[in-house]
């Protein structure tokens, strides 16, 4: 099992640095895991690109449909955010001085005792101080 965060999932949908690595990871591993939070985080990234006029509304609709289809396809093992995981994530966020959403992925990886893959180097550096199985996309 491997937990992936939204910074990796966004690269499944948009062509940017390390998108090829992200798509290879998606195609190669059948036990990718994520918290339910990912659905809205990636959705938010799509909406931001439309609202900032990086992509057209039509493209946004197509990408959103692809994302919700991918989510529904059970490619990812998804996990609801429960009180225990939320509490651990809040503790990690305060300890690391890092935003809570990223720490939810960290809490899930620690709960599942598996690696976490992120494209966010800053987060990876901080998270590696409390979980020794943090991997950076592109270095995997």
């Amino acid at each position: 099992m491997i937990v992936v965060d939204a910074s990796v999932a966004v690269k499944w949908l948009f062509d940017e640095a390390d998108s090829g690595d992200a798509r290879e990871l998606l195609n190669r591993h059948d036990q990718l895991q994520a918290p339910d939070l990912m659905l809205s985080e990636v959705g938010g990234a799509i909406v931001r690109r439309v609202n900032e006029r990086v992509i057209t509304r039509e493209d946004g609709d197509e990408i959103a449909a692809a994302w919700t289809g991918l989510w529904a396809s059970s490619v990812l093992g998804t996990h609801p955010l429960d009180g225990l995981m939320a509490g651990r994530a809040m503790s990690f966020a305060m300890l690391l001085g890092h935003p809570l959403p990223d720490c939810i992925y960290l809490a899930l990886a620690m709960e599942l005792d598996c690696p976490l893959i992120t494209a966010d180097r800053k987060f990876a550096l901080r998270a590696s101080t409390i979980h020794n199985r943090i991997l950076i996309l592109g270095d995997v």
Side-chain angles (χ1 to χ4, degrees), residues 63-74:
I63 294 166
W67 171 237
T68 56
L70 182 63
W71 187 264
S73 73
S74 300

Side-chain angles (χ1 to χ4, degrees), residues 4-27 32 38 41-46 48-49 63 66-67 70 76 105 117-122 135-140:
V4 292
D5 72 5
S7 69
V8 174
V10 166
K11 293 177 183 303
W12 297 336
L13 303 169
F14 294 98
D15 290 324
E16 50 188 47
D18 296 325
S19 287
D21 292 334
R23 290 177 187 133
E24 183 180 330
L25 179 70
L26 178 63
N27 293 327
L32 298 178
M38 181 187 276
E41 276 205 302
V42 174
I46 297 165
R48 261 190 315 281
R49 283 174 169 83
I63 294 166
W67 171 237
L70 182 63
L76 291 168
Y105 295 91
I117 298 180
T118 181
D120 182 341
R121 289 185 182 277
K122 180 179 174 183
L135 303 170
I136 300 171
L137 183 69
D139 295 350
V140 178

Side-chain angles (χ1 to χ4, degrees), residues 53-107:
R53 302 192 193 295
V54 174
I55 60 173
T56 66
R57 168 72 188 273
E58 292 76 21
D59 288 343
D61 285 338
E62 286 180 27
I63 294 166
W67 171 237
T68 56
L70 182 63
W71 187 264
S73 73
S74 300
V75 170
L76 291 168
T78 59
H79 301 265
L81 180 62
D82 62 20
L84 180 61
M85 189 170 29
R88 290 182 75 195
M90 285 184 272
S91 180
F92 297 155
M94 290 182 281
L95 176 68
L96 300 174
H98 198 81
L100 177 61
D102 291 345
C103 293
I104 292 171
Y105 295 91
L106 175 60

Side-chain angles (χ1 to χ4, degrees), residues 2 20 24 31-33 47 65 67 75 83 110 113 122 130:
I2 300 170
E24 183 180 330
Q31 292 193 348
L32 298 178
Q33 307 294 309
V47 169
W67 171 237
V75 170
M110 292 178 75
D113 190 26
K122 180 179 174 183
I130 60 173

